[in-house]
Amino acid sequence: MNPLAIREDFPIFQEKINGHPLVYLDNAATSQKPRQVLDVLRRYYESENSNVHRGVHTLGTRATEAYEGAREKVARFINAPSPYQVVFTRGTTESINMVAHGYARAHLQPGDEIVLPPSEHHSNLIPWQQAARATGATLRYLPLQEDGSIRLADVEAAVTDRTKVVAIAHVSNVLGTVNPVREIAAIAHRHGAVIVVDGAQSVPHMPTDVQDLDCDFLAFSGHKMLGPTGIGVLYGKPSLLAEMEPTYFGGEMIDIVELHESTWKEAPWKFEGGTPIIAGAIGLGAAIEYLSNIGMEEIAKHDAHLADLTVQRLAEIEGVTVYGPGPGKPRAGLVTFNLDGVHPHDVATVLDAAGVAVRAGHHCAQPLMRILHVGATARASFYLYNTEDDVDAFVAALKQAKEFFGHAIG
Ligand SMILES: Cc1ncc(COP(=O)(O)O)c(CN[C@@H](CS)C(=O)O)c1O
């Protein structure tokens, strides 16, 4: 895998930031887009644009074939048995909300439990708070180890016959921990529970096989994996999608509409009310082709290598706290840190002056910030177009920030 050659495909790396080359290390928030995706979007609007599924004219056929072809690409990418198990949504947040509202609420009652870690992103935490509040079910939080990891023994202890839903990120967007989803799914299934996997930080960065994981639902976003904003995916097992109710209603999704009641199409279309996210889906299909040509194993190794290198380099700087797995322990391609005594927003501002883009804040994980006893953190997150030179530039800018804020250079 040659990140320097890959960078040539991404126009944005021609940008100068405050007079410096762009060092983009905010990939957990959103990824940059290759020309191959941008060209497909332009070509769609220039030669295929039409609404889908209804028109009998040529453009409508072209657009429908492109849209449903994108669904097939997603299914292959996550090894789903059928494209009919792939629902297009606006993103991870909408996907998880659809499960919480359309499936969980119909299956939860007082005394039932939803098991999840407290480190979850708000998009995989608040929908479950709302579902618990609406049904009388209760949230049961898993304990975290010092490095943020989750022990299977604690999952075994927490998941009981009262558990109806286990909700968990495959990769934490703050800690970079990779959770043992396959084993957790087996525990959930032994107790008759379903597992909802938040794949926002895993699907873009590593091979994902929903049949191997045996997850019941998987949610992820296209904009984090070289695709456009506004497109995401909800994968579900056929029997669960069949019994799951749509959460919004209108055109496209219906079978028969009477004055007082209506029936729906089969999944996935019953969940895709209104004009679907046609261009977004086609763009996601192009992004998946781009990623697949490079190989997800290669990308996973590359991202993890840059994160490991960063953890090693930060360990050499006195006054820097790194959160998540320690040196040498498995970590996905992101590193969350703080410069002791300096607000992460100030750190990120100084880094930006040097062209280095990192994220600062609570990363939509406020309960986890409290567990870490911090109000906010900074985060560097890597992808296929980042290089070791990016890590060098980041570390050099962080040392400048340290000097600027009055710390002696360690
Ligand atoms: C684990 C996880 N789960 C859900 C989401 C939401 O994805 P959407 O595409 O916004 O729906 C995200 C997006 N996390 C961004 C924005 S806070 C981050 O900077 O970490 C995520 O990381």
Side-chain angles (χ1 to χ4, degrees), residues 146 323 338 366-377:
E146 190 66 28
Y323 305 96
N338 267 326
Q366 288 183 15
L368 177 57
M369 295 293 120
R370 290 186 203 99
I371 292 171
L372 299 176
H373 304 298
V374 292
T377 55

Side-chain angles (χ1 to χ4, degrees), residues 26 28-30 90-94 96 120-124 169 171-174 198-201 220-224 231 359 363-365 379:
D26 196 16
T30 198
R90 287 184 305 131
T92 305
T93 302
E94 182 172 66
I96 295 172
E120 289 306 299
H121 185 281
H122 295 160
S123 294
N124 196 31
V171 169
S172 164
N173 68 313
V174 174
D198 176 345
Q201 298 296 345
F220 56 99
S221 300
H223 69 92
K224 296 183 191 287
I231 188 68
R359 174 82 29 183
H363 316 295
C364 300
R379 180 191 64 194

Side-chain angles (χ1 to χ4, degrees), residues 60-332:
T61 302
R62 284 185 195 169
T64 301
E65 286 172 354
Y67 179 68
E68 294 300 337
R71 197 189 306 274
E72 290 167 12
K73 289 172 186 171
V74 173
R76 284 195 296 274
F77 189 66
I78 60 173
N79 195 31
S82 156
Y84 302 147
Q85 296 175 248
V86 171
V87 179
F88 284 125
T89 68
R90 287 184 305 131
T92 305
T93 302
E94 182 172 66
S95 298
I96 295 172
N97 273 279
M98 286 168 74
V99 179
H101 285 253
Y103 176 80
R105 290 187 184 212
H107 290 79
L108 290 169
Q109 53 191 346
D112 289 341
E113 293 185 346
I114 302 164
V115 172
L116 71 169
S119 49
E120 289 306 299
H121 185 281
H122 295 160
S123 294
N124 196 31
L125 192 152
I126 298 170
W128 305 113
Q129 284 180 347
Q130 295 298 313
R133 175 179 297 180
T135 61
T138 53
L139 299 173
R140 184 168 181 171
Y141 285 100
L142 293 166
L144 299 181
Q145 298 309 297
E146 190 66 28
D147 64 0
S149 58
I150 289 161
R151 289 188 326 160
L152 287 177
D154 290 327
V155 179
E156 290 280 9
V159 177
T160 69
D161 291 346
R162 286 193 306 279
T163 308
K164 292 294 180 288
V165 176
V166 175
I168 190 164
H170 196 172
V171 169
S172 164
N173 68 313
V174 174
L175 300 164
T177 43
V178 183
N179 292 317
V181 166
R182 185 188 311 108
E183 293 79 0
I184 294 171
I187 295 169
H189 296 156
R190 278 204 296 275
H191 293 276
V194 299
I195 184 168
V196 183
V197 176
D198 176 345
Q201 298 296 345
S202 56
V203 175
H205 294 276
M206 57 184 66
T208 301
D209 182 334
V210 290
Q211 297 186 64
D212 177 55
L213 296 177
D214 197 22
C215 54
D216 298 291
F217 296 102
L218 172 72
F220 56 99
S221 300
H223 69 92
K224 296 183 191 287
M225 51 191 287
L226 313 187
T229 48
I231 188 68
V233 170
L234 171 65
Y235 157 83
K237 286 183 176 175
S239 58
L240 299 175
L241 291 178
E243 67 177 282
M244 188 165 130
E245 274 297 291
T247 50
Y248 64 97
F249 305 88
E252 277 283 323
M253 59 168 294
I254 51 89
D255 185 18
I256 305 294
V257 179
E258 307 285 358
L259 285 181
H260 297 286
E261 58 186 40
S262 303
T263 58
W264 321 132
K265 281 181 180 162
E266 300 295 311
W269 300 286
K270 72 174 177 181
F271 299 111
E272 297 177 0
T275 295
I277 314 160
I278 307 166
I282 293 167
L284 175 56
I288 284 174
E289 283 182 341
Y290 189 94
L291 290 169
S292 301
N293 286 339
I294 293 168
M296 296 311 291
E297 284 287 359
E298 286 297 301
I299 292 170
K301 282 186 204 137
H302 173 77
D303 296 352
H305 164 67
L306 293 182
D308 289 346
L309 178 63
T310 299
V311 170
Q312 289 165 29
R313 299 286 304 276
L314 293 183
E316 298 161 5
I317 307 176
E318 194 181 338
V320 173
T321 302
V322 172
Y323 305 96
K329 290 195 73 177
R331 167 191 283 270

Side-chain angles (χ1 to χ4, degrees), residues 17-18 20-25 314 317 335 337 339 343-360 378-380 390-402 404-405:
I17 306 293
N18 301 315
H20 298 276
L22 170 60
V23 179
Y24 184 75
L25 303 180
L314 293 183
I317 307 176
V335 181
F337 65 96
L339 185 55
H343 193 286
H345 281 127
D346 294 333
V347 171
T349 302
V350 172
L351 293 182
D352 180 60
V356 179
V358 299
R359 174 82 29 183
R379 180 191 64 194
D390 288 341
V391 175
D392 292 343
F394 161 63
V395 170
L398 185 61
K399 286 182 174 177
Q400 285 175 346
K402 185 176 177 199
F404 180 81
F405 290 106

